[in-house]
Amino acid sequence: MESEQESQMKAGMVLNLSRFTEWPNQLKGQNSFTIVLYEAKNLKRMEAGFEKLKVQGLPVDLVNYYEGMDLQKVQILFIGEQTEDEIKITLLEEFSKYEVLTISEAEDFAENGGMVRLYKLDKKMTFDVNVGAIRASKLKMSSRVLKLAKGIIR
């Protein structure tokens, strides 16, 4: 089981990524910055910490994925690492129609069309970025973030 410290590191990484990513069209008229979790119980534990924060000037709303949700109001999809491959593929296809930053801990996530893969390396949280997937979604990630990425997939 993941420690609370590791959950906090992941939550911090998600928030930092969101602060250095631009959503050109999707934030207009939004009341909150929505992070959707799919089988990501460890981040859900951090909900109290997210409540007090703002991203892109909006309060953070951390919600579990449910069928039929309004995907146009979602900024980040975080997929838990235990999620089956078939479900990950379906979620990526479904969310690819919108400006949604997709993040997961799954080992092959960035290589298979996801945007950011988070993982622990030498007791530190790091990440790989799929710049092709980010560009295709029309999101813009800061070059400062890309320089910090351990791996870049084009």
Side-chain angles (χ1 to χ4, degrees), residues 6-34:
E6 192 169 333
S7 292
Q8 288 174 345
M9 289 184 344
K10 285 178 189 166
M13 186 71 82
V14 169
L15 287 172
N16 284 330
L17 288 167
S18 66
R19 289 183 175 129
F20 292 97
T21 301
E22 289 179 39
W23 283 260
N25 302 308
Q26 201 170 19
L27 290 177
K28 295 172 185 158
Q30 295 283 31
N31 298 335
S32 64
F33 186 92
T34 304

Side-chain angles (χ1 to χ4, degrees), residues 11-146:
M13 186 71 82
V14 169
L15 287 172
N16 284 330
L17 288 167
S18 66
R19 289 183 175 129
F20 292 97
T21 301
E22 289 179 39
W23 283 260
N25 302 308
Q26 201 170 19
L27 290 177
K28 295 172 185 158
Q30 295 283 31
N31 298 335
S32 64
F33 186 92
T34 304
I35 300 173
V36 171
L37 306 176
Y38 189 91
E39 294 185 1
K41 295 173 188 78
N42 297 326
L43 274 186
K44 188 66 176 168
R45 289 190 332 202
M46 304 305 300
E47 188 168 23
F50 279 98
E51 287 175 358
K52 301 170 187 132
L53 301 172
K54 288 194 175 199
V55 174
Q56 310 275 340
L58 298 168
V60 175
D61 189 15
L62 197 63
V63 297
N64 285 315
Y65 174 84
Y66 60 90
E67 199 73 36
M69 69 187 320
D70 186 354
L71 303 183
Q72 291 182 317
K73 295 184 178 184
V74 176
Q75 284 70 53
I76 294 178
L77 169 64
F78 190 99
I79 302 172
E81 70 179 318
Q82 300 302 322
T83 304
E84 294 176 25
D85 289 342
E86 185 177 306
I87 293 171
K88 280 187 275 193
I89 291 166
T90 301
L91 288 169
L92 288 173
E93 286 174 0
E94 191 175 341
F95 280 84
S96 70
K97 300 171 187 124
Y98 306 96
E99 293 174 4
V100 177
L101 181 64
T102 57
I103 303 173
S104 181
E105 307 156 276
E107 193 169 320
D108 57 352
F109 188 70
E111 290 88 350
N112 290 322
M115 295 179 196
V116 179
R117 175 195 171 220
L118 295 182
Y119 57 100
K120 197 171 169 184
L121 182 67
D122 299 328
K123 299 183 183 180
K124 293 182 182 178
M125 197 57 62
T126 191
F127 59 100
D128 295 336
V129 176
N130 182 329
V131 293
I134 291 170
R135 277 193 204 112
S137 72
K138 300 190 178 43
L139 295 176
K140 295 177 184 159
M141 188 171 280
S142 168
S143 60
R144 297 188 317 190
V145 172
L146 297 176

